[in-house]
């Protein structure tokens, strides 16, 4: 199933773009599911339909969203059940820890006392992504209206981070001693809390691995939305670098709410004021087009309708007036608007054979014969030197790009080397490694 995650700076029009993309795809015959975690009025206003409140989750309806409603033929939309998902997981965790509560003499919280905590939304969205790809999904395309870009980047990094924490806190070698725990539990007379702890950790590991596979799949891409302007350009650069750090692929940059080229009344004060905004917007649009098209990222332009889009009619007009530019075999070519890049992203996942361009994305270049070094190339388009941070820690490389960080396990060859330098060139961080004579294999 094709998956498109729509994000961008706050207020850029993520919900409108997600809805218009979903509707345009449905009008081409695709079966589309649109999910949103926004609990405000925006999704219902944009879609023109009421999204029902999520019911209490049960075993017969494991999906963490409300029943989807039809927006148009082929398109259904639903709201992710953030609060219900949190309470469901909290009750489950309490049930698994019942023996520990009894041992400590503690009283579990009642269902009415469970109040949603910060961080509940990312976990609910990740659960929804995994659930949508479980079993035989009846959809051709999943479009997810994501939170603003900074929150989305941290959300997409969460499965890998949490799996690393689990491995550090509960390493596999300690789990080998679990065979002794039933005997210890009989001797102590109470269930051993560690047994439940390891069982829960194993289940979490399996769930996190499943959602990480969805995020890293070739069929999953990010659609970045921006309303062009001086501040927005810098925000998009930071977001692009953060997404690249997490190996997330951007299929399209959507420039939203574009004013017409000429003001209707250029001679009066209102016309001059609007002309200034148009010039500012076009300057930012030109910069974004140059930065993204050079890396073969499609750029889609959505016009300002002169009003806030409301309902399927406005969304259809927006999709119909969308114009896109892509890089083809003959250079820059005109695309098909919002439906560009919905095809052609299938193929083996990262843990399989990969695509033709995937192996070079994070490649290690052997320059030992000429320069005595190995170079690890990490594509980070949008990054700047001042915002980069690089730390070697054992067999890991900690890379920071602005407010985002990622812990990367070193390829086996680089673990026997020392970091001898790094440079940012042509949108890629090139880290140089010098072989350690004490660890590098000797040649006769």
């Amino acid at each position: 199933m094709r998956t498109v995650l729509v994000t961008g700076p706050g207020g850029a029009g993520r919900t409108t773009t997600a809805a218009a993309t979903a509707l345009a795809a449905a009008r081409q015959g695709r079966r589309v599911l649109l999910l949103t975690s926004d609990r405000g009025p925006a999704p219902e206003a944009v879609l023109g339909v009421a999204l029902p409140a999520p019911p209490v989750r049960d075993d017969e309806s494991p999906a963490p969203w409300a029943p989807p409603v039809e927006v148009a033929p082929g398109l259904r939309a639903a709201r992710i059940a953030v609060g219900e998902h949190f309470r469901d997981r909290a009750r489950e965790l309490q049930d698994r820890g019942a023996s520990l509560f009894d041992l400590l003499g503690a009283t579990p919280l009642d269902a009415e006392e469970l109040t949603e905590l910060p961080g509940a939304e990312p976990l609910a969205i990740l659960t929804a992504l995994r659930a949508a790809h479980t079993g035989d999904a009846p959809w051709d395309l999943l479009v997810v209206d994501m939170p603003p870009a900074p929150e989305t980047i941290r959300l997409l990094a969460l499965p890998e981070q949490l799996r690393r924490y689990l491995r550090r806190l509960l390493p596999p070698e300690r789990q080998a001693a679990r065979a002794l725990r039933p005997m210890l539990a009989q001797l102590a007379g109470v269930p051993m809390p560690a047994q439940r702890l390891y069982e829960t950790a194993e289940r979490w590991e399996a769930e996190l691995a499943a959602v990480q596979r969805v995020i890293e799949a070739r069929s999953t891409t990010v659609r970045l939305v921006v309303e062009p302007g001086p501040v927005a350009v810098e925000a998009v650069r930071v977001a692009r670098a953060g997404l690249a750090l997490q190996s997330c692929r951007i299929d399209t940059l959507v420039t939203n709410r574009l004013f017409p080229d000429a003001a209707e009344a250029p001679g009066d004060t209102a016309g001059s004021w609007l002309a200034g905004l148009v010039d500012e917007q076009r300057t930012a649009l030109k910069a974004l087009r140059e930065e993204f098209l050079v890396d073969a990222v499609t750029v889609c332009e959505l016009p300002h309708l002169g009003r806030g889009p409301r309902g399927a009619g406005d969304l259809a007009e927006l999709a119909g007036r969308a114009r896109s530019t892509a890089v083809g075999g003959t250079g820059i070519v005109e695309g098909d608007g919002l439906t560009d890049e919905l095809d052609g992203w299938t193929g083996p996942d990262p843990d399989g054979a990969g695509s033709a361009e995937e192996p070079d994305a994070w490649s290690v270049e052997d320059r030992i014969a000429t320069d005595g070094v190995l170079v690890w190339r990490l594509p980070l388009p949008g990054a700047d030197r001042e915002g980069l941070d690089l730390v070697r820690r054992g067999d890991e490389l900690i890379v920071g790009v602005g407010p985002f960080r990622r812990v990367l396990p070193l390829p086996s060859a680089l673990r026997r080397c020392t970091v001898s330098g790094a440079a940012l060139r042509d949108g890629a961080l090139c880290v140089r490694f010098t072989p350690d004579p004490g660890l590098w294999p000797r040649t006769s």
Side-chain angles (χ1 to χ4, degrees), residues 358-384:
E358 283 296 320
D360 296 330
W362 297 69
S363 60
V364 177
E365 183 180 355
D366 187 347
R367 296 186 187 172
I368 293 180
T370 56
D371 302 322
V373 297
L374 297 170
V375 179
W376 196 13
R377 185 179 182 277
L378 311 177
L380 296 175
D384 60 73

Side-chain angles (χ1 to χ4, degrees), residues 4-7 13-27 32-36 42-49 51 71-78 141-146 223 225 254 256 302 309-320 338-339 342:
V4 176
L5 311 177
V6 182
T7 187
R14 303 182 312 277
T15 300
T16 299
T17 301
T21 298
L23 180 62
R27 288 162 68 94
V32 185
L33 174 64
L34 171 65
L35 293 179
T36 180
E44 294 182 336
V46 169
L47 293 170
V49 298
L51 299 179
V71 178
L75 171 59
R76 291 183 173 271
L141 172 66
L142 172 67
V143 180
V144 186
D145 174 23
M146 301 289 285
R223 187 154 292 197
V225 185
V254 179
N256 192 28
L302 296 184
R310 294 291 184 273
D314 282 354
L315 292 176
E317 180 183 352
L318 197 62
L338 287 171
T339 56
L342 293 184

Side-chain angles (χ1 to χ4, degrees), residues 1 57 62-65 125-135 137 211 214:
M1 179 173 62
R57 186 179 174 191
W65 55 73
I125 294 174
L126 291 174
T127 302
L129 280 174
R130 180 179 61 85
H133 290 79
T134 301
V211 74
V214 172

Side-chain angles (χ1 to χ4, degrees), residues 63-398:
W65 55 73
V69 298
E70 186 177 51
V71 178
L75 171 59
R76 291 183 173 271
R79 201 188 303 267
I80 297 174
V82 176
E84 290 74 8
H85 174 265
F86 172 80
R87 287 186 285 273
D88 179 70
R89 285 303 177 93
R91 286 193 296 267
E92 181 182 356
L93 190 59
Q94 282 197 151
D95 292 342
R96 286 182 171 272
S99 60
L100 178 60
F101 288 127
D102 292 341
L103 186 64
L104 299 176
T107 303
L109 295 172
D110 294 331
E112 295 76 14
E113 298 179 86
L114 295 174
T115 304
E116 183 182 328
L117 297 177
E121 182 180 11
L123 295 177
I125 294 174
L126 291 174
T127 302
L129 280 174
R130 180 179 61 85
H133 290 79
T134 301
D136 297 327
W139 318 105
D140 302 314
L141 172 66
L142 172 67
V143 180
V144 186
D145 174 23
M146 301 289 285
E151 288 85 346
T152 291
I153 294 168
R154 295 186 179 94
L155 181 157
L156 297 177
L158 198 56
E160 181 180 86
Q161 292 175 346
L162 292 179
R163 293 181 70 193
R164 180 175 179 272
Y165 295 159
L166 285 174
R167 287 193 296 268
R168 289 289 299 274
L169 297 174
L170 300 171
E173 54 268 21
R174 290 188 182 179
Q175 299 186 34
R178 283 186 301 166
L180 298 175
R181 294 196 185 101
M183 180 179 64
L184 295 176
Q186 291 180 358
L187 294 175
V190 296
M192 296 298 290
Q195 176 67 19
R196 288 291 184 91
L197 178 64
Y198 278 103
E199 290 175 355
T200 302
E202 285 181 351
R203 187 171 57 84
W204 285 351
E205 161 65 24
E207 292 180 358
L208 290 169
V211 74
Q212 187 174 344
R213 285 193 294 271
V214 172
I215 293 172
E216 294 178 349
R218 281 284 299 162
S219 56
T220 299
T221 58
V222 175
R223 187 154 292 197
L224 197 55
V225 185
V226 60
E227 183 175 355
V231 176
V233 168
E234 185 57 34
V236 166
R237 287 172 181 156
V238 173
R240 187 184 184 192
L243 289 167
L245 180 63
Q246 302 303 328
S247 303
C248 296
R249 293 166 293 279
I250 299 175
D251 64 32
T252 304
L253 173 72
V254 179
T255 55
N256 192 28
R257 302 193 189 107
L258 296 182
F259 296 119
D261 289 324
E264 291 184 3
D268 60 17
T269 303
S272 301
W273 176 80
L274 184 58
L277 286 179
V278 172
D279 289 343
E280 185 178 75
Q281 193 178 72
R282 293 299 168 184
T283 299
L285 176 61
K286 181 176 182 294
L288 289 170
R289 282 171 56 90
E290 292 174 352
E291 292 182 23
F292 280 79
L293 285 174
V294 74
D295 292 326
V297 177
T298 297
V299 177
C300 182
E301 300 178 15
L302 296 184
H304 200 303
L305 297 181
R307 61 188 183 279
R310 294 291 184 273
D314 282 354
L315 292 176
E317 180 183 352
L318 197 62
R321 293 174 59 185
R323 296 293 179 266
S324 62
T325 307
V327 178
T330 58
I332 304 299
V333 297
E334 184 176 344
D336 297 322
L338 287 171
T339 56
D340 270 348
E341 306 298 339
L342 293 184
D343 296 320
W345 289 87
T346 57
D349 290 345
D351 52 358
S355 68
E357 61 184 83
E358 283 296 320
D360 296 330
W362 297 69
S363 60
V364 177
E365 183 180 355
D366 187 347
R367 296 186 187 172
I368 293 180
T370 56
D371 302 322
V373 297
L374 297 170
V375 179
W376 196 13
R377 185 179 182 277
L378 311 177
L380 296 175
D384 60 73
R385 290 178 176 82
E386 290 72 19
L388 283 175
D389 186 27
L390 195 65
V391 177
R392 167 79 181 267
R393 182 187 179 279
D395 290 339
E396 296 173 327
L397 192 68
I398 304 173

